[in-house]
Amino acid sequence: MHKIPVGVLGASGYAGRELSAFIAQHPRLTLAFATANAQRGETLELPGGAVTFIATDDAPLASAELVFSSLPHGASAEWVARARAAGARVVDLSTDLRIGNGAAEAVPYGLTEWTREAVRSARVVANPGCYPTSALLALLPLLERDLIASGATVSISSASGVTGAGLSPRLDLLFGEVTENYRAYGVGNSHRHLNEMRAAVQLLARDVDLLFTPHLLPIARGILSTITVPLRAPLADPLEPWRTRYAGEPFIEVVDALPELRQVQRRNVARIAVRRVEHVRTPTLQIFSAIDNLVKGAAGQALQNANLMLGLDETLGLPR
Amino acid sequence: MHKIPVGVLGASGYAGRELSAFIAQHPRLTLAFATANAQRGETLELPGGAVTFIATDDAPLASAELVFSSLPHGASAEWVARARAAGARVVDLSTDLRIGNGAAEAVPYGLTEWTREAVRSARVVANPGCYPTSALLALLPLLERDLIASGATVSISSASGVTGAGLSPRLDLLFGEVTENYRAYGVGNSHRHLNEMRAAVQLLARDVDLLFTPHLLPIARGILSTITVPLRAPLADPLEPWRTRYAGEPFIEVVDALPELRQVQRRNVARIAVRRVEHVRTPTLQIFSAIDNLVKGAAGQALQNANLMLGLDETLGLPR
Amino acid sequence: MHKIPVGVLGASGYAGRELSAFIAQHPRLTLAFATANAQRGETLELPGGAVTFIATDDAPLASAELVFSSLPHGASAEWVARARAAGARVVDLSTDLRIGNGAAEAVPYGLTEWTREAVRSARVVANPGCYPTSALLALLPLLERDLIASGATVSISSASGVTGAGLSPRLDLLFGEVTENYRAYGVGNSHRHLNEMRAAVQLLARDVDLLFTPHLLPIARGILSTITVPLRAPLADPLEPWRTRYAGEPFIEVVDALPELRQVQRRNVARIAVRRVEHVRTPTLQIFSAIDNLVKGAAGQALQNANLMLGLDETLGLPR
Amino acid sequence: MHKIPVGVLGASGYAGRELSAFIAQHPRLTLAFATANAQRGETLELPGGAVTFIATDDAPLASAELVFSSLPHGASAEWVARARAAGARVVDLSTDLRIGNGAAEAVPYGLTEWTREAVRSARVVANPGCYPTSALLALLPLLERDLIASGATVSISSASGVTGAGLSPRLDLLFGEVTENYRAYGVGNSHRHLNEMRAAVQLLARDVDLLFTPHLLPIARGILSTITVPLRAPLADPLEPWRTRYAGEPFIEVVDALPELRQVQRRNVARIAVRRVEHVRTPTLQIFSAIDNLVKGAAGQALQNANLMLGLDETLGLPR
């Protein structure tokens, strides 16, 4: 069967490599090019073969029906425009075009389970961040039904593996600094992520405040968000909103037992459980949401969106 | 100089071994005996020598001026009574005599910085749990001054290394199950720990609800508690309550930068930082509190209490 | 297409779970049963569904065309006989029937790349151990051509992740004991593994001594063997014996760069590189051989053998 | 009591920080200065206080009685000369002045247990590398007595934690690249280390070849060397050469059980065990030698040498 050519801009980072590996195993896609300026000329081993990185400037954009951009924040928007001008559809994994981050142009936000129809017909999709994916998939079933107490503070405490910070030579990401360590942090990406989550909440016109606290885990991949939500009223069946909303969703696992990161690693799923908080006056739920930051939080969701944009089965080539 | 004989009941677990090592290096204490039923006859290497475990039943309780009990929860209270009857002072590291856990007899709670005088004259001290130590040292400066919003829910989200679960052959604590993993859990010790924290809050007659969520980290030692506190009113200088309350305390580090677990590992300190939460209507603080669960959360604090009970300098033999 | 029913005895351990997951995704096999005495009644999540463990005594052996036994060493041989009597072919992952370990009956040794034809027609296959797989795949190309110095000592220094020791509640395998640690060990399985390697060498009638030193790595999965081999004479092209012998082999990667464990994890491959040792009088090679102990070292190779025994494409259902 | 001022050049790396912390706790030394060009103006937290890094060019060399240089290889020799000209004694932790690496000037090699008298009177000492320390302390008792088979190849297979590579922002040292990974490597420092070991062997005029294979462990600190040695003749009591040679040595632990890295971490010791290899024709020993690469392999041994050079008790301020 004819394979559809797709390209990856910025393919040498963690998300870009993951994406290239998914494409290499995809039954209907073929990797037309993979760019990486600093590594150009080097090869990336992929299942069933290898690809040689080219400079981003040399990318034959017109040869691809769809282009993924994993370029750094700030550098991506320009290449999204070029790819689009060359006739390709685009999935942008950077923050550049995401809601809440001041993009000049509104493009569909690719939180697939919530924006499927917009994605299907989009020319360009802004792929959500990893933290927002883990938090919003957990929160939106409550927000959609307006079950959260008005004016309440929703607390999102998240812990992420180090690949969330990208493949960059930072001293604080060295093995010797991360192993046997754990810390909260409050810089850089956390503001972008919080803006993105707030913008998604505002789309639903809900009057809640968000509090977001990211932590760095001594693991390679995975995000667990522990979310505390004051409710308007107690829920008779706490898990019902998620079971109902996500019935039939191929990539959402609503479960009874608290999720563990190893259950979602290398899989394009979010795994969600809920607990009613006992012995507090305000009716309160805790939602536990686990994803792989590189899969459902980045490359997997990007491919899920691309499948839809190309008219393919949404689940093709995605590890479950 | 004369060394004071002390004994350790249950010396083969993580806390018991840590305690035995501290005693072996202590300038004024000497290890009179160390018991471990399953390991009796085996030797434990200690700095400057080794000790042979004896059966708990064979412990010469009367030979010690002070006895530490690291026996399992449920088994400890009986031995505390025996040691006391033999004339020894006792520091009990189990939950058996801790506040909030239904102990028949009230004994001073050894959260040293808050109960120093009671500890000094006590015959028996209940050493706090590791989670409560990390949370209460963070919360009490606010509770003491009644700065927390009345009726509010205080959320304590904690992450602990695996030694907090003890040296027991559980499949879920195997390296292969813990590495590259992370999860919340809600069983066993968490209820005991929450009861203990609630009882401490009730001692101050404060009207707040506590929510406690423990998580298991893929590290050996350390607890980081991230605590979210709705305030009665904004604080002009958020760190002031801690700086004031803990001025001169040798084992409390009130700092500006967010604490990391590696800064407190193998040290008998709690390291505390505070952040004002931005962009939420309810004035809210986050407190970040890091300890080593085996040191300030167990053996170190036990020795700190023992130093006081024996009339010694509180800091003797404790790693800072 | 008709799926062939296969069963797994002892499916709750690391190798048994890995095998069950491979079967659940296999295009031509279906999991007829999975046994686990201690966990009977519990469910094992698998890709695309779940299976409920039954007691081994309740296994409907006759319902399976092929049975895998991951039962413990010593307990497996009896069940291999029963499965065979029930008409099933058998792949035994235990040591019970392996060469060098005193099995009463000789069955083909399933080091697939070296015994393919015997495996194809076998009723029962003894699946090799993880250490022997890593070492023999590296050594046999030299032994086959008689290139090793006669009477020489071949030194096999191997390091393995902890899943090689199985899913058993041993204190020395707890996360708190393994993290940030590394050690050689010389007990239990190492003798069995060495016997197995010696027996394989004797089959080729080569006069070399083997020295085997296993080490325990703080990782979940993977074995790297660093093998030092005194040669009869220098090799002009050191890598040629492997390139020639393994040309076209789908699961052997002969490479220039030194292999890393992460390149082979979750894949049914052995990755082999070679270095000529400089500045020593005896012409000497070092061979570096990396496998995933649970895949090419256990469940993957077992399935590779099963594919052959059932007349299927050898590579079906195996991750590369 | 008067404290002796000492300085540290290059104090921001792993060895330099370890050394500064030892000095801060030393009963007879005080830290006169600590230099770090890139971090100048920043503070380093130390037990009992903090130090502000100054530029190396600003180091008041004459204010110190002894200067430690942890400057990078190649940059250190010049500063050793300057410190010496300023009247200070010097311990150089770089390779610049070590045997086997082409230093213009011969200075005593500070493998303390073997060169104690030369160190005591030296103006400058070249502190051994971490790998050579672990290997030579294991090998020299055999070499000294000429027990190794003439012309034999001695194989040194070592595995090191990542701090051995220094605190440098290399992609291959990121947590995400090292965790759950293991590999041999053969570049950079390994040649320097091998040259250093060969030169030490040649000092004893022994006719043996050395083979050295370093591996990278997913841990922060520690080196385990597994050394295989063909003997002239079997030894009746394999451990006797080490027990005899190291009797009374405060920092060498000759033990029966195989050493583990966690037994030596944060301690200035080498822990050595020996096994007779069974079932090989050449009488062969394996020596297992464990050290902390940052302590006995760097900062600890440097301080051990400094204590001798300053006429102090050799063990002062060193963790055992």
Side-chain angles (χ1 to χ4, degrees), chain D residues 187-208:
Chain D
V187 291
N189 280 324
S190 66
H191 299 302
R192 285 197 291 243
H193 287 307
L194 184 53
N195 289 342
E196 187 178 332
M197 293 188 262
R198 284 200 181 112
V201 169
Q202 282 159 6
L203 287 179
L204 291 167
R206 296 303 177 221
D207 181 37
V208 302

PDB file of all heavy atoms in Angstrom, chain D residues 187-208:
ATOM      1  N   VAL D 187      37.684   5.430  25.736  1.00  0.00           N
ATOM      2  CA  VAL D 187      38.215   6.685  25.203  1.00  0.00           C
ATOM      3  C   VAL D 187      38.768   7.530  26.324  1.00  0.00           C
ATOM      4  O   VAL D 187      38.630   7.234  27.494  1.00  0.00           O
ATOM      5  CB  VAL D 187      37.092   7.460  24.503  1.00  0.00           C
ATOM      6  CG1 VAL D 187      36.655   6.742  23.234  1.00  0.00           C
ATOM      7  CG2 VAL D 187      35.918   7.645  25.444  1.00  0.00           C
ATOM      8  N   GLY D 188      39.406   8.589  25.914  1.00  0.00           N
ATOM      9  CA  GLY D 188      39.817   9.641  26.837  1.00  0.00           C
ATOM     10  C   GLY D 188      40.630   9.149  28.002  1.00  0.00           C
ATOM     11  O   GLY D 188      41.747   8.637  27.844  1.00  0.00           O
ATOM     12  N   ASN D 189      40.068   9.251  29.158  1.00  0.00           N
ATOM     13  CA  ASN D 189      40.806   8.972  30.370  1.00  0.00           C
ATOM     14  C   ASN D 189      41.353   7.556  30.475  1.00  0.00           C
ATOM     15  O   ASN D 189      42.278   7.323  31.237  1.00  0.00           O
ATOM     16  CB  ASN D 189      39.909   9.214  31.585  1.00  0.00           C
ATOM     17  CG  ASN D 189      39.813  10.686  31.917  1.00  0.00           C
ATOM     18  OD1 ASN D 189      40.802  11.403  31.770  1.00  0.00           O
ATOM     19  ND2 ASN D 189      38.656  11.131  32.349  1.00  0.00           N
ATOM     20  N   SER D 190      40.757   6.619  29.745  1.00  0.00           N
ATOM     21  CA  SER D 190      41.173   5.241  29.983  1.00  0.00           C
ATOM     22  C   SER D 190      42.644   5.038  29.603  1.00  0.00           C
ATOM     23  O   SER D 190      43.362   4.291  30.244  1.00  0.00           O
ATOM     24  CB  SER D 190      40.262   4.254  29.260  1.00  0.00           C
ATOM     25  OG  SER D 190      40.388   4.376  27.875  1.00  0.00           O
ATOM     26  N   HIS D 191      43.095   5.728  28.557  1.00  0.00           N
ATOM     27  CA  HIS D 191      44.510   5.592  28.192  1.00  0.00           C
ATOM     28  C   HIS D 191      45.408   6.175  29.271  1.00  0.00           C
ATOM     29  O   HIS D 191      46.419   5.602  29.632  1.00  0.00           O
ATOM     30  CB  HIS D 191      44.762   6.264  26.849  1.00  0.00           C
ATOM     31  CG  HIS D 191      43.966   5.634  25.754  1.00  0.00           C
ATOM     32  ND1 HIS D 191      44.079   4.298  25.463  1.00  0.00           N
ATOM     33  CD2 HIS D 191      43.027   6.131  24.917  1.00  0.00           C
ATOM     34  CE1 HIS D 191      43.259   4.003  24.470  1.00  0.00           C
ATOM     35  NE2 HIS D 191      42.596   5.099  24.129  1.00  0.00           N
ATOM     36  N   ARG D 192      45.023   7.368  29.751  1.00  0.00           N
ATOM     37  CA  ARG D 192      45.816   7.967  30.817  1.00  0.00           C
ATOM     38  C   ARG D 192      45.896   7.044  32.018  1.00  0.00           C
ATOM     39  O   ARG D 192      46.931   6.888  32.649  1.00  0.00           O
ATOM     40  CB  ARG D 192      45.191   9.300  31.238  1.00  0.00           C
ATOM     41  CG  ARG D 192      45.441  10.401  30.224  1.00  0.00           C
ATOM     42  CD  ARG D 192      45.195  11.752  30.858  1.00  0.00           C
ATOM     43  NE  ARG D 192      43.779  11.932  31.120  1.00  0.00           N
ATOM     44  CZ  ARG D 192      43.021  12.866  30.555  1.00  0.00           C
ATOM     45  NH1 ARG D 192      43.551  13.707  29.702  1.00  0.00           N
ATOM     46  NH2 ARG D 192      41.759  12.978  30.854  1.00  0.00           N
ATOM     47  N   HIS D 193      44.761   6.453  32.353  1.00  0.00           N
ATOM     48  CA  HIS D 193      44.734   5.579  33.525  1.00  0.00           C
ATOM     49  C   HIS D 193      45.594   4.338  33.303  1.00  0.00           C
ATOM     50  O   HIS D 193      46.300   3.889  34.199  1.00  0.00           O
ATOM     51  CB  HIS D 193      43.298   5.184  33.853  1.00  0.00           C
ATOM     52  CG  HIS D 193      42.502   6.293  34.457  1.00  0.00           C
ATOM     53  ND1 HIS D 193      42.925   6.987  35.562  1.00  0.00           N
ATOM     54  CD2 HIS D 193      41.305   6.837  34.116  1.00  0.00           C
ATOM     55  CE1 HIS D 193      42.038   7.905  35.880  1.00  0.00           C
ATOM     56  NE2 HIS D 193      41.038   7.850  35.011  1.00  0.00           N
ATOM     57  N   LEU D 194      45.533   3.800  32.093  1.00  0.00           N
ATOM     58  CA  LEU D 194      46.322   2.603  31.809  1.00  0.00           C
ATOM     59  C   LEU D 194      47.821   2.930  31.831  1.00  0.00           C
ATOM     60  O   LEU D 194      48.630   2.175  32.377  1.00  0.00           O
ATOM     61  CB  LEU D 194      45.899   2.007  30.465  1.00  0.00           C
ATOM     62  CG  LEU D 194      46.558   0.691  30.060  1.00  0.00           C
ATOM     63  CD1 LEU D 194      46.434  -0.372  31.137  1.00  0.00           C
ATOM     64  CD2 LEU D 194      45.957   0.172  28.758  1.00  0.00           C
ATOM     65  N   ASN D 195      48.187   4.063  31.255  1.00  0.00           N
ATOM     66  CA  ASN D 195      49.601   4.483  31.302  1.00  0.00           C
ATOM     67  C   ASN D 195      50.085   4.589  32.745  1.00  0.00           C
ATOM     68  O   ASN D 195      51.212   4.182  33.070  1.00  0.00           O
ATOM     69  CB  ASN D 195      49.772   5.845  30.626  1.00  0.00           C
ATOM     70  CG  ASN D 195      49.599   5.759  29.122  1.00  0.00           C
ATOM     71  OD1 ASN D 195      49.683   4.665  28.551  1.00  0.00           O
ATOM     72  ND2 ASN D 195      49.336   6.890  28.495  1.00  0.00           N
ATOM     73  N   GLU D 196      49.240   5.142  33.571  1.00  0.00           N
ATOM     74  CA  GLU D 196      49.611   5.336  34.972  1.00  0.00           C
ATOM     75  C   GLU D 196      49.803   3.979  35.676  1.00  0.00           C
ATOM     76  O   GLU D 196      50.766   3.777  36.412  1.00  0.00           O
ATOM     77  CB  GLU D 196      48.482   6.141  35.637  1.00  0.00           C
ATOM     78  CG  GLU D 196      48.751   6.594  37.051  1.00  0.00           C
ATOM     79  CD  GLU D 196      47.568   7.421  37.580  1.00  0.00           C
ATOM     80  OE1 GLU D 196      46.849   8.066  36.770  1.00  0.00           O
ATOM     81  OE2 GLU D 196      47.352   7.407  38.803  1.00  0.00           O
ATOM     82  N   MET D 197      48.910   3.050  35.388  1.00  0.00           N
ATOM     83  CA  MET D 197      49.039   1.722  36.004  1.00  0.00           C
ATOM     84  C   MET D 197      50.283   1.004  35.490  1.00  0.00           C
ATOM     85  O   MET D 197      51.019   0.378  36.258  1.00  0.00           O
ATOM     86  CB  MET D 197      47.784   0.899  35.726  1.00  0.00           C
ATOM     87  CG  MET D 197      46.552   1.455  36.428  1.00  0.00           C
ATOM     88  SD  MET D 197      45.088   0.369  36.304  1.00  0.00           S
ATOM     89  CE  MET D 197      44.224   1.133  34.949  1.00  0.00           C
ATOM     90  N   ARG D 198      50.529   1.123  34.180  1.00  0.00           N
ATOM     91  CA  ARG D 198      51.716   0.459  33.629  1.00  0.00           C
ATOM     92  C   ARG D 198      52.995   1.026  34.232  1.00  0.00           C
ATOM     93  O   ARG D 198      53.940   0.280  34.539  1.00  0.00           O
ATOM     94  CB  ARG D 198      51.757   0.656  32.104  1.00  0.00           C
ATOM     95  CG  ARG D 198      50.790  -0.219  31.378  1.00  0.00           C
ATOM     96  CD  ARG D 198      51.207  -0.361  29.913  1.00  0.00           C
ATOM     97  NE  ARG D 198      50.243  -1.191  29.230  1.00  0.00           N
ATOM     98  CZ  ARG D 198      49.403  -0.764  28.295  1.00  0.00           C
ATOM     99  NH1 ARG D 198      49.436   0.493  27.893  1.00  0.00           N
ATOM    100  NH2 ARG D 198      48.542  -1.588  27.739  1.00  0.00           N
ATOM    101  N   ALA D 199      53.037   2.327  34.388  1.00  0.00           N
ATOM    102  CA  ALA D 199      54.238   2.945  34.942  1.00  0.00           C
ATOM    103  C   ALA D 199      54.478   2.464  36.373  1.00  0.00           C
ATOM    104  O   ALA D 199      55.623   2.211  36.773  1.00  0.00           O
ATOM    105  CB  ALA D 199      54.097   4.468  34.902  1.00  0.00           C
ATOM    106  N   ALA D 200      53.394   2.303  37.127  1.00  0.00           N
ATOM    107  CA  ALA D 200      53.549   1.827  38.506  1.00  0.00           C
ATOM    108  C   ALA D 200      54.078   0.398  38.528  1.00  0.00           C
ATOM    109  O   ALA D 200      54.905   0.035  39.369  1.00  0.00           O
ATOM    110  CB  ALA D 200      52.214   1.917  39.248  1.00  0.00           C
ATOM    111  N   VAL D 201      53.609  -0.420  37.585  1.00  0.00           N
ATOM    112  CA  VAL D 201      54.085  -1.800  37.508  1.00  0.00           C
ATOM    113  C   VAL D 201      55.563  -1.830  37.110  1.00  0.00           C
ATOM    114  O   VAL D 201      56.354  -2.619  37.638  1.00  0.00           O
ATOM    115  CB  VAL D 201      53.221  -2.603  36.522  1.00  0.00           C
ATOM    116  CG1 VAL D 201      53.844  -3.960  36.223  1.00  0.00           C
ATOM    117  CG2 VAL D 201      51.808  -2.759  37.073  1.00  0.00           C
ATOM    118  N   GLN D 202      55.922  -0.948  36.198  1.00  0.00           N
ATOM    119  CA  GLN D 202      57.309  -0.929  35.741  1.00  0.00           C
ATOM    120  C   GLN D 202      58.275  -0.488  36.841  1.00  0.00           C
ATOM    121  O   GLN D 202      59.429  -0.912  36.857  1.00  0.00           O
ATOM    122  CB  GLN D 202      57.444  -0.018  34.520  1.00  0.00           C
ATOM    123  CG  GLN D 202      56.938  -0.713  33.247  1.00  0.00           C
ATOM    124  CD  GLN D 202      56.589   0.268  32.149  1.00  0.00           C
ATOM    125  OE1 GLN D 202      56.817   1.469  32.281  1.00  0.00           O
ATOM    126  NE2 GLN D 202      56.020  -0.249  31.065  1.00  0.00           N
ATOM    127  N   LEU D 203      57.780   0.345  37.758  1.00  0.00           N
ATOM    128  CA  LEU D 203      58.630   0.740  38.885  1.00  0.00           C
ATOM    129  C   LEU D 203      59.110  -0.481  39.655  1.00  0.00           C
ATOM    130  O   LEU D 203      60.186  -0.490  40.226  1.00  0.00           O
ATOM    131  CB  LEU D 203      57.868   1.672  39.826  1.00  0.00           C
ATOM    132  CG  LEU D 203      57.622   3.092  39.323  1.00  0.00           C
ATOM    133  CD1 LEU D 203      56.843   3.881  40.366  1.00  0.00           C
ATOM    134  CD2 LEU D 203      58.951   3.779  39.015  1.00  0.00           C
ATOM    135  N   LEU D 204      58.267  -1.520  39.658  1.00  0.00           N
ATOM    136  CA  LEU D 204      58.628  -2.751  40.368  1.00  0.00           C
ATOM    137  C   LEU D 204      59.330  -3.743  39.458  1.00  0.00           C
ATOM    138  O   LEU D 204      59.648  -4.862  39.866  1.00  0.00           O
ATOM    139  CB  LEU D 204      57.376  -3.399  40.970  1.00  0.00           C
ATOM    140  CG  LEU D 204      56.750  -2.624  42.125  1.00  0.00           C
ATOM    141  CD1 LEU D 204      55.362  -3.162  42.451  1.00  0.00           C
ATOM    142  CD2 LEU D 204      57.644  -2.697  43.361  1.00  0.00           C
ATOM    143  N   ALA D 205      59.529  -3.333  38.204  1.00  0.00           N
ATOM    144  CA  ALA D 205      60.260  -4.176  37.235  1.00  0.00           C
ATOM    145  C   ALA D 205      59.617  -5.543  37.052  1.00  0.00           C
ATOM    146  O   ALA D 205      60.295  -6.558  36.939  1.00  0.00           O
ATOM    147  CB  ALA D 205      61.726  -4.320  37.648  1.00  0.00           C
ATOM    148  N   ARG D 206      58.279  -5.563  37.037  1.00  0.00           N
ATOM    149  CA  ARG D 206      57.598  -6.839  36.833  1.00  0.00           C
ATOM    150  C   ARG D 206      57.215  -6.971  35.363  1.00  0.00           C
ATOM    151  O   ARG D 206      56.768  -6.021  34.727  1.00  0.00           O
ATOM    152  CB  ARG D 206      56.321  -6.916  37.686  1.00  0.00           C
ATOM    153  CG  ARG D 206      56.572  -6.890  39.177  1.00  0.00           C
ATOM    154  CD  ARG D 206      57.496  -8.011  39.647  1.00  0.00           C
ATOM    155  NE  ARG D 206      57.767  -7.897  41.067  1.00  0.00           N
ATOM    156  CZ  ARG D 206      58.942  -8.104  41.618  1.00  0.00           C
ATOM    157  NH1 ARG D 206      59.997  -8.426  40.876  1.00  0.00           N
ATOM    158  NH2 ARG D 206      59.092  -7.992  42.916  1.00  0.00           N
ATOM    159  N   ASP D 207      57.336  -8.173  34.870  1.00  0.00           N
ATOM    160  CA  ASP D 207      57.100  -8.449  33.456  1.00  0.00           C
ATOM    161  C   ASP D 207      55.673  -8.959  33.240  1.00  0.00           C
ATOM    162  O   ASP D 207      55.457 -10.148  33.008  1.00  0.00           O
ATOM    163  CB  ASP D 207      58.123  -9.493  32.973  1.00  0.00           C
ATOM    164  CG  ASP D 207      57.923  -9.798  31.498  1.00  0.00           C
ATOM    165  OD1 ASP D 207      57.607  -8.854  30.739  1.00  0.00           O
ATOM    166  OD2 ASP D 207      58.068 -10.981  31.131  1.00  0.00           O
ATOM    167  N   VAL D 208      54.720  -8.072  33.365  1.00  0.00           N
ATOM    168  CA  VAL D 208      53.330  -8.459  33.107  1.00  0.00           C
ATOM    169  C   VAL D 208      52.701  -7.426  32.173  1.00  0.00           C
ATOM    170  O   VAL D 208      53.118  -6.270  32.125  1.00  0.00           O
ATOM    171  CB  VAL D 208      52.483  -8.546  34.401  1.00  0.00           C
ATOM    172  CG1 VAL D 208      53.089  -9.545  35.368  1.00  0.00           C
ATOM    173  CG2 VAL D 208      52.328  -7.184  35.051  1.00  0.00           C
TER     174      VAL D 208
END
